[in-house]
Amino acid sequence: MIGHDAVLADLSLEISAADLPQVQSAAARLGGGARVHVTALTTETHADRVATASELVTHGLTPVPHLAARRIASAEALESMVRDLAHAAAAESVFVIGGDPRTPAGTFDSALSVIETGVLARHGVREAGIGGYPEGHPDIPDDVLWDALARKAAALADQGIAGSITTQVSFDAPAVLAWIARVREHGIMLPIRVGVPGPMGVARLLAFARRMGIASTAGLARKYGAQLGGMLGTAGPDDFLDALFGGLDTGVHGEASTHLYTFGGLGATLDWIGAR
């Protein structure tokens, strides 16, 4: 097993507003300054996310609220959202994504369109994360993804905002390593946070994997290295992370760290961190 320091250095993880009651206990277990993303779920409001981000600040954590471009109704709404985060001392770091709706709610159709407004810089955003897709995107051609990644990185640099890339979940460590190498070949040197699911039940992991296009148990076992001893068992990211960090070469891959998606629950992910 790759050492604790390598896998958990500069760790970030993701919660939703539903996890607000657990923020205090999470802070005690994570330590000061840990980066915690607040995802933009359709079942939660912007006010919910601001309240959660504010609570993270109160307990010494670094909130990274998500801005989902296609769900933002107008330029005025975007301005108001970032202003609200700034008033809550929660706007230094954000994560900008396109979002799920095929039809945008307003004028923003991509993360780039949000970044290019200059709203982030005007309200004191110092670091902005953008998304990466190691195994591609089902609705976006690869050449479009690469062009968008380069343009987003350049737009952030032009505005003096530090950037980083957080990847969507992959279950294939060699594919992630190859993708990171291609990012560097494209001249994009932003730090990369590799997204992996925290521990969860096997049945839930399989259901999630199918939504990601991995249709069979055998395929998941091969790609993720999960220990699938039965549908009532659990699976964790250890094998994947050991393969990932065992294959990282800083000369080729540059700066990379771990981002944990808490699909199996915040408590289970925190337990895993503590045991690692």
Side-chain angles (χ1 to χ4, degrees), residues 119-275:
V119 168
L120 304 182
R122 283 202 299 275
H123 290 284
V125 173
R126 298 174 61 184
E127 194 271 337
I130 54 179
Y133 300 89
E135 297 190 61
H137 189 291
D139 300 320
I140 305 174
D142 280 354
D143 60 335
V144 176
L145 286 175
W146 285 113
D147 179 67
L149 188 64
R151 292 174 66 189
K152 286 183 285 189
L156 291 172
D158 287 346
Q159 296 178 45
I161 297 174
S164 64
I165 300 168
T166 298
T167 74
Q168 290 282 39
V169 167
S170 172
F171 297 100
D172 189 337
V176 174
L177 290 167
W179 179 83
I180 295 174
R182 288 192 66 193
V183 172
R184 304 316 185 199
E185 290 168 2
H186 279 77
I188 301 169
M189 304 309 295
L190 299 180
I192 294 175
R193 298 177 181 276
V194 178
V196 297
M200 69 179 81
V202 169
R204 186 169 185 176
L205 179 62
L206 290 175
F208 179 79
R210 290 188 186 101
R211 292 198 298 272
M212 297 291 292
I214 301 171
S216 70
T217 298
L220 176 58
R222 182 180 67 253
K223 287 176 174 286
Y224 194 51
Q227 302 302 313
L228 302 177
M231 293 297 286
L232 298 180
T234 59
D238 294 273
D239 289 350
F240 173 87
L241 288 170
D242 287 345
L244 178 75
F245 283 88
L248 277 174
D249 177 344
T250 55
V252 174
H253 301 106
E255 185 179 344
S257 57
T258 306
H259 178 77
L260 288 169
Y261 293 100
T262 56
F263 301 138
L266 177 57
T269 299
L270 292 171
D271 288 344
W272 177 86
I273 293 170

Side-chain angles (χ1 to χ4, degrees), residues 73-90:
S74 65
E76 292 76 16
L78 172 62
E79 190 93 35
S80 177
M81 291 169 74
V82 182
R83 185 187 302 116
D84 290 344
L85 291 168
H87 286 166

Side-chain angles (χ1 to χ4, degrees), residues 67-136:
L67 298 170
R70 289 172 172 264
R71 297 182 194 160
I72 300 172
S74 65
E76 292 76 16
L78 172 62
E79 190 93 35
S80 177
M81 291 169 74
V82 182
R83 185 187 302 116
D84 290 344
L85 291 168
H87 286 166
E92 284 200 8
S93 297
V94 299
F95 185 75
V96 191
I97 56 171
D100 298 330
R102 288 184 177 274
T103 302
T107 58
F108 302 112
D109 63 354
S110 66
L112 180 63
S113 64
V114 168
I115 294 167
E116 289 180 332
T117 64
V119 168
L120 304 182
R122 283 202 299 275
H123 290 284
V125 173
R126 298 174 61 184
E127 194 271 337
I130 54 179
Y133 300 89
E135 297 190 61

